[in-house]
Amino acid sequence: MAHDNIAAALDELRVGPDFKLADIDPDSKPGYSGSKDDAAAAFDDNDAELDELQQKLFANARAGNPDVPTVLLVLQGMDTSGKGGVVRHVMQGIDPQSVSIASFKAPTEEERKHDFLWRIERALPEPGAIGVFDRSHYEDVLIQRVRQFAPPEEIERRYGAIVEWEQKLVSERNFRIVKCMLHISKEEQGARLLERLERPDKHWKFNPGDIDERGLWDEYMQAYEIALTRTSTDAVPWYCVPANRKWYARMVVKQLLLETLRSLELDWPKADFDVEEQKTRLAAS
């Protein structure tokens, strides 16, 4: 992307062992000094490259490449943090047939009969695809912790289970996992909730339960800090993305996805037939 140096700022957003959520200013925009209009003008700059990289990934899967990776984008954040907008804007230039989107809310009766990762495993994208989790397995250590739906020892077990599961996805199943927490302030959330109430075209987005969860803001911030610190690893790090400016958060997630696809260094799959022979056959047909 042609906007400043967001790529160089990604390390600044990466969650390390000394991470403190309070140190991240939701209004900040590391790596970018331009305006919203500048960002809008440059947002689509790398769409052609993003599309080609995704097509190479998908094509290798279709060609039967046994080593083709799978990309999974995990989005977490408080209500109104912009997860849906990230999905719409970041993924808009990608062929939808190679993208799968899943969202996880309260588990069903059937899902409660299994370990918490059972339903997540079933929703994983196929090799060669780009999967998006708009809310994810982290719901089971966030709301479950805050609302005390599970005992503390079970929450502790889940942190370890998540790390082990993600590590296996990377080491044994060739996943590339991009985890982004969209960090907004309580004041910004209040403004976005009010907008949903004031605009009839946004009433469908409003859930009265969002206000109940908002009342537990401090508890959620603590739960996020613990979860991110406990589950950010070298192989599968978390990125805490300032998200009061929706357009900045979208640029960061798009850059992360682009960097991930670039790192795969994929070529177009080779033809398993004689190209010249097929040209001759086509000319004669």
Side-chain angles (χ1 to χ4, degrees):
M1 292 180 181
H3 27 59
D4 289 17
N5 204 2
I6 286 179
L10 295 180
D11 282 345
E12 182 180 343
L13 304 177
R14 184 169 174 150
V15 173
D18 299 324
F19 171 76
K20 299 294 182 186
L21 191 56
D23 293 340
I24 307 300
D25 180 2
D27 276 317
S28 64
K29 44 180 184 173
Y32 188 70
S33 60
S35 67
K36 179 179 179 179
D37 289 342
D38 295 332
F43 188 75
D44 298 332
D45 282 358
N46 284 352
D47 275 4
E49 181 186 3
L50 190 63
D51 180 60
E52 180 175 333
L53 291 170
Q54 172 270 323
Q55 288 285 352
K56 286 181 178 178
L57 179 65
F58 187 65
N60 273 274
R62 283 293 183 92
N65 179 351
D67 299 319
V68 65
T70 303
V71 176
L72 177 62
L73 173 62
V74 175
L75 299 174
Q76 283 290 154
M78 294 294 285
D79 297 313
T80 77
S81 60
K83 298 180 294 295
V86 164
V87 175
R88 288 194 305 277
H89 288 81
V90 173
M91 310 305 287
Q92 66 182 354
I94 296 177
D95 187 344
Q97 70 175 325
S98 65
V99 176
S100 66
I101 300 173
S103 182
F104 303 93
K105 297 184 179 179
T108 64
E109 183 176 344
E110 172 65 19
E111 290 167 345
R112 289 191 183 96
K113 296 177 182 178
H114 302 271
D115 183 71
F116 77 104
L117 288 171
W118 180 79
R119 63 174 179 161
I120 314 299
E121 177 73 33
R122 288 161 57 89
L124 286 173
E126 297 292 328
I130 297 176
V132 181
F133 283 175
D134 177 357
R135 295 184 186 273
S136 68
H137 42 300
Y138 286 93
E139 293 293 295
D140 291 297
V141 292
L142 292 168
I143 189 170
Q144 297 274 341
R145 182 188 182 98
V146 171
R147 288 293 188 175
Q148 299 180 350
F149 292 153
E153 58 271 19
E154 172 60 15
I155 298 298
E156 288 298 316
R157 182 192 74 82
R158 290 180 183 183
Y159 295 134
I162 286 172
V163 169
E164 182 180 0
W165 180 69
E166 290 179 348
Q167 295 279 15
K168 286 184 176 180
L169 288 179
V170 171
S171 62
E172 299 178 8
R173 296 164 64 178
N174 206 12
F175 267 71
R176 304 292 190 276
I177 305 175
V178 182
K179 300 190 296 189
C180 299
M181 185 261 187
L182 305 182
H183 182 38
I184 61 172
S185 66
K186 188 176 183 180
E187 294 72 22
E188 179 65 19
Q189 189 202 49
R192 294 181 186 183
L193 287 172
L194 181 60
E195 181 185 30
R196 291 182 178 183
L197 287 169
E198 290 182 332
R199 290 179 51 177
D201 63 319
K202 289 186 177 288
H203 286 174
W204 64 275
K205 287 187 173 184
F206 184 80
N207 180 348
D210 293 346
I211 297 179
D212 298 328
E213 300 304 310
R214 176 176 166 80
L216 297 168
W217 186 271
D218 291 342
E219 289 86 346
Y220 271 106
M221 294 302 99
Q222 181 185 43
Y224 265 106
E225 183 173 302
I226 294 171
L228 268 61
T229 304
R230 293 286 297 276
T231 62
S232 187
T233 64
D234 290 341
V236 191
W238 270 105
Y239 292 86
C240 184
V241 183
N244 273 8
R245 293 179 172 89
K246 295 179 182 179
W247 52 269
Y248 174 77
R250 293 165 185 168
M251 286 197 301
V252 171
V253 177
K254 193 171 188 177
Q255 187 69 44
L256 279 166
L257 183 60
L258 183 62
E259 296 289 338
T260 300
L261 290 171
R262 284 172 174 169
S263 72
L264 303 181
E265 298 183 340
L266 291 173
D267 293 319
W268 293 107
K270 303 298 183 184
D272 59 359
F273 50 83
D274 186 320
V275 175
E276 294 305 318
E277 177 185 353
Q278 298 308 311
K279 285 182 179 180
T280 301
R281 293 184 64 230
L282 177 61
S285 65

